[in-house]
């Protein structure tokens, strides 16, 4: 619908109102709803077309802020040798987009670095595009980002929580006691990161002692990690409770079971370990 001058008092028909609400860059200047591009828009973006079989991406003399390199990959006889940026008399753009189209295939590009014949390889995976930005003239420093056509599969994180109110009595000199059974730590192959928090109750201990936690492999019947946490120095004869925290991070193997054990080493006596909370994350690989 073509533009026209509306005079005071004239009614605007519905078709004109609809056209005003339908804004587009595609409409012509004499049409209602036309959106103009910014001034000198086409002077700021340069488009360079090449074939994957070519050896050079010619950027000679380009001084635009943005460059789009379109690479045609339809030629199945293309060489696998890297394409190379020809940057003679090229004022470094703020950003260069590399956009292959056609059959999905990997694209390798050599970018000159500094002076001489120094080059750095940018390898773009099949079907993907890339963006390259420079920090300094003559490519003394640059970075690049790859845009993936398909979503990247990421491991799923599983949160787990264990809560135990029943205390466990640790007898001094009796070795390790199981405090969290493997049935409570439900993980498979992957990365495990959890925090163990609990209260230890020193019942009328006169002498101090060492307190150690152990992550135990119930399948192989062997310890995985041991952490000495606390050397008690309790000289008073009254009851004393201590809140303790320990973090474990390890790589779990498939089909294995893991438990948590604790040991109290002293000159006789015992401690009570209770209100046990385990909060963590297992990331399957």
């Amino acid at each position: 619908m073509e533009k026209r001058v509306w005079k005071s008092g004239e009614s605007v028909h519905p078709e004109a109102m609809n056209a005003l609400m339908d804004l587009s860059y595609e409409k012509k200047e004499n049409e209602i709803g036309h959106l103009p591009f910014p001034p000198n828009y086409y002077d700021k973006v340069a488009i360079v077309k090449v074939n994957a079989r070519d050896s050079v991406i010619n950027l000679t003399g380009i001084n635009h802020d943005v460059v789009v390199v379109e690479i045609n990959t339809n030629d199945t006889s293309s060489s696998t040798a890297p394409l190379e940026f020809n940057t003679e008399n090229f004022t470094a753009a703020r950003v260069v987009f590399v956009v292959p189209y056609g059959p999905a295939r990997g694209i390798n590009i050599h970018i000159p670095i500094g002076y001489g014949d120094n080059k750095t390889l940018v390898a773009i995976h099949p079907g993907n595009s890339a963006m390259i930005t420079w920090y300094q003239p003559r490519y003394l420093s640059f970075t690049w980002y790859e845009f993936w056509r398909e979503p990247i599969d990421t491991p799923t994180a599983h949160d787990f929580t264990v809560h135990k109110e029943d205390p466990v009595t640790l007898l001094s000199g009796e070795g390790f006691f199981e405090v969290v059974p493997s049935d409570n730590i439900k993980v498979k192959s992957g990365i495990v990161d959890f925090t163990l928090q609990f209260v230890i109750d020193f019942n009328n201990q006169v002498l101090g002692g060492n307190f150690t936690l152990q992550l135990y492999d119930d399948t192989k019947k062997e310890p995985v990690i041991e952490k000495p946490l606390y050397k008690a120095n309790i000289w008073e004869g009254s009851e004393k409770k201590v809140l303790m925290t320990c973090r474990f991070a390890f790589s779990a193997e498939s089909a294995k079971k893991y438990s948590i054990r604790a040991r109290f080493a002293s000159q006789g006596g015992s401690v009570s370990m209770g209100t046990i909370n385990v909060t963590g994350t297992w990331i399957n690989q």
Side-chain angles (χ1 to χ4, degrees):
M1 181 177 294
E2 291 190 359
K3 295 179 182 178
R4 55 160 289 188
V5 178
W6 301 92
K7 297 180 181 180
S8 178
E10 290 185 335
S11 60
V12 180
H13 52 80
E15 290 79 8
M17 292 297 296
N18 292 335
L20 283 171
M21 292 185 291
D22 183 22
L23 304 178
S24 173
Y25 291 107
E26 302 299 326
K27 291 185 177 181
K28 298 178 181 179
E29 291 188 20
N30 63 339
E31 290 183 292
I32 297 176
H34 165 71
L35 283 177
F37 285 103
N40 303 320
Y41 173 79
Y42 290 103
D43 294 332
K44 296 181 181 294
V45 180
I47 298 178
V48 177
K49 297 179 181 290
V50 298
N51 291 313
R53 68 176 182 272
D54 297 337
S55 59
V56 174
I57 299 174
N58 191 4
L59 303 180
T60 301
I62 292 178
N63 57 4
H64 296 65
D65 292 335
V66 177
V67 179
V68 179
V69 177
E70 297 181 352
I71 302 178
N72 186 348
T73 63
N74 281 290
D75 187 354
T76 56
S77 65
S78 302
S79 170
T80 58
L83 295 164
E84 184 165 340
F85 277 173
N86 180 353
T87 57
E88 186 177 353
N89 299 322
F90 172 55
T91 302
R94 290 187 175 90
V95 61
V96 174
F97 292 98
V98 179
V99 185
Y101 65 92
R105 53 170 296 177
I107 298 294
N108 296 323
I109 299 175
H110 269 151
I111 299 179
I113 298 294
Y115 298 89
D117 296 328
N118 298 322
K119 302 172 184 176
T120 294
L121 179 67
V122 168
I124 306 172
H125 290 82
N128 295 345
S129 301
M131 180 180 72
I132 305 169
T133 60
W134 282 272
Y135 297 114
Q136 299 179 35
R138 290 204 57 83
Y139 321 113
L140 294 180
S141 179
F142 79 95
T143 187
W144 71 285
Y145 309 87
E146 190 167 7
F147 303 117
W148 289 79
R149 175 180 291 184
E150 301 294 337
I152 300 174
D153 291 331
T154 56
T156 303
H158 306 273
D159 296 330
F160 62 91
T161 302
V162 179
H163 179 75
K164 288 184 60 180
E165 284 286 355
D166 298 335
V168 177
T169 300
L170 306 180
L171 300 175
S172 177
E174 296 292 331
F176 282 94
F177 289 77
E178 185 180 80
V179 294
V180 180
S182 59
D183 291 341
N184 294 91
I185 304 177
K186 299 181 183 300
V187 299
K188 297 180 181 179
S189 176
I191 305 300
V192 183
D193 189 337
F194 68 86
T195 298
L196 173 70
Q197 188 176 69
F198 56 92
V199 174
I200 55 173
D201 184 356
F202 293 87
N203 295 307
N204 299 316
Q205 285 293 310
V206 177
L207 299 175
N210 295 313
F211 188 88
T212 305
L213 281 179
Q214 184 184 85
L215 178 69
Y216 191 75
D217 182 345
D218 281 350
T219 305
K220 284 189 173 181
K221 306 299 181 184
E222 63 183 20
V224 179
I225 304 173
E226 282 192 11
K227 291 191 174 184
L229 288 190
Y230 188 80
K231 185 172 183 179
N233 289 298
I234 302 173
W235 302 101
E236 63 269 21
S238 60
E239 178 180 329
K240 185 171 184 179
K241 295 182 179 181
V242 180
L243 177 65
M244 302 183 71
T245 300
C246 182
R247 182 179 178 184
F248 286 99
F250 66 103
S251 178
E253 296 182 27
S254 179
K256 284 192 174 183
K257 292 186 175 181
Y258 300 90
S259 61
I260 301 173
R261 300 186 174 196
R263 179 182 65 187
F264 178 61
S266 175
Q267 297 183 18
S270 65
V271 295
S272 177
M273 179 177 173
T275 317
I276 301 171
N277 290 296
V278 181
T279 55
T281 300
W282 158 55
I283 303 175
N284 61 318
Q285 299 291 300

